[in-house]
Amino acid sequence: MLITEEQKRRYTAFWNREKTDRACFYLSAWDGAPGFRAPENPTQQWCDIPYRMEHTLYENAHTRYFAEGFPTVFTNFGPGSLAACIGGSYKVSPYTIWFENQPLFIGDWENPPVPVLHKDSEMYRMIEDMTTAMLTHGDRFFTSISDIGGTFDIIAALRGTENLLYDMYDNPDEIKAFLAKLEIIWRDYYLDYANRLIREQGCMTSWMHIWSDKTYYPLQCDYSAMLSPEMFAEFILPDLRFQTEYMERSIYHLDGIGELPHVDHLLSLPRLCAIQWTSGDGKPPLTDPCWFELYHRIQAAGKGIVLLGADPAGLENLFRHVSQRGLYISCGVRDEKDAKALLDMAEKLNF
């Protein structure tokens, strides 16, 4: 059994922002085995499906889970992989896959290309092959949906970020027309995979290891860090609203202080379930008191909070000031003893 009925109840409580005896915790620990053999090159690391499956099965065998932790594997082909399925290009690196297209897929707005999902593209085939391979091991882990990317982030990859910033003043109508076409491709791609995962394994997960027996996705627009709240409301918010309307559940990936001016717009989305906050490199950790006001705003609007990779040492102070209702936390622990101590502390400080 990959997940228990008790774990399911706690995840459902998180999604519904219901009060329980503590937050929802995804806790995991490595069993001390040596790491899997390093890839020969980035191409093998990302594009060699048999190698990736060996790596996946090895990590699965040597990871232990506690509380609401459960075995799941992220189908990782870089953030915004849909860009390379509709005519864009990709480039592998030791750390991720980049979608900075040269030459640009959108050369200008006088005669922009029509976005079409190419199921025969190399990226689409790799995602499909990896998903299919992982689903055959459904007795060992759940398979996640890939990181499709935010729709506007995809356009930025296809057009170039700096170009798109100027275009938003010079060609707003053309951008919106392209976005409307991309939204439909994104929706159909998403629903195809989301429904497949729920049909074949009874649930879905994502790059956020959050269990759901209904369709969900971590929405995002990293590009919005360069936009004013007014431009966010004009270009980004309608797209997010459209996505939340056909998803049964949704989370927004709030990526750093550059996106904080948009929080009120995000909280206005009635069907958005939660916000995942990441402070960014060089910024105070997620449990730092400087973020408590943000967490209070999110909770006051009836939304949940997702904190990924939180430092266990800072959680006690967090729990003294922030409600655990609708709160999801993932972090690593050393062993079951550490996990139990953390859970006991959370229950004691719950309010």
Side-chain angles (χ1 to χ4, degrees), residues 169-319:
Y169 289 97
D170 298 334
N171 305 92
D173 293 337
E174 290 81 357
I175 293 173
K176 292 173 184 177
F178 188 91
L179 176 61
K181 297 172 184 176
L182 180 59
E183 284 177 334
I184 302 305
I185 294 173
W186 200 105
R187 180 198 63 188
D188 292 348
Y189 180 101
Y190 164 78
L191 288 175
D192 183 39
Y193 273 97
N195 290 328
R196 176 185 178 185
L197 294 173
I198 290 177
R199 182 175 63 252
E200 295 192 28
Q201 60 186 14
C203 70
M204 67 175 300
T205 68
S206 66
W207 64 267
M208 296 183 189
H209 295 336
I210 300 177
W211 178 92
S212 177
D213 57 350
K214 299 179 180 180
T215 59
Y216 90 97
Y217 193 77
L219 306 176
Q220 69 180 74
C221 183
D222 292 353
Y223 178 85
S224 70
M226 295 173 284
L227 302 181
S228 68
E230 292 75 21
M231 295 192 80
F232 185 92
E234 179 182 356
F235 287 91
I236 312 302
L237 194 62
D239 176 49
L240 296 175
R241 183 177 294 110
F242 174 70
Q243 291 177 312
T244 61
E245 287 173 354
Y246 60 78
M247 294 178 188
E248 295 174 275
R249 294 165 172 162
S250 55
I251 300 169
Y252 187 83
H253 166 58
L254 190 65
D255 191 4
I257 60 175
E259 294 190 33
L260 288 178
H262 310 314
V263 169
D264 286 341
H265 284 315
L266 294 169
L267 297 179
S268 74
L269 293 168
R271 288 178 56 84
L272 184 69
C273 297
I275 289 181
Q276 180 251 335
W277 169 240
T278 179
S279 53
D281 292 341
K283 300 300 186 293
L286 301 177
T287 55
D288 191 278
C290 69
W291 310 125
F292 291 176
E293 181 182 355
L294 171 63
Y295 301 156
H296 295 157
R297 288 172 63 192
I298 294 170
Q299 292 183 326
K303 311 298 186 186
I305 299 173
V306 174
L307 302 179
L308 305 179
D311 178 10
L315 290 177
E316 180 175 355
N317 190 46
L318 175 76
F319 294 151

Side-chain angles (χ1 to χ4, degrees), residues 1-4 7 60 69-71 137-142 201:
M1 180 182 297
L2 299 181
I3 190 167
T4 67
Q7 289 174 308
N60 169 256
F70 61 91
H137 295 278
D139 59 331
R140 298 186 61 171
F141 51 76
F142 291 128
Q201 60 186 14

Side-chain angles (χ1 to χ4, degrees), residues 136-155:
T136 63
H137 295 278
D139 59 331
R140 298 186 61 171
F141 51 76
F142 291 128
T143 298
S144 85
I145 193 168
S146 63
D147 188 350
I148 308 170
T151 48
F152 228 82
D153 292 335
I154 292 171
I155 296 177

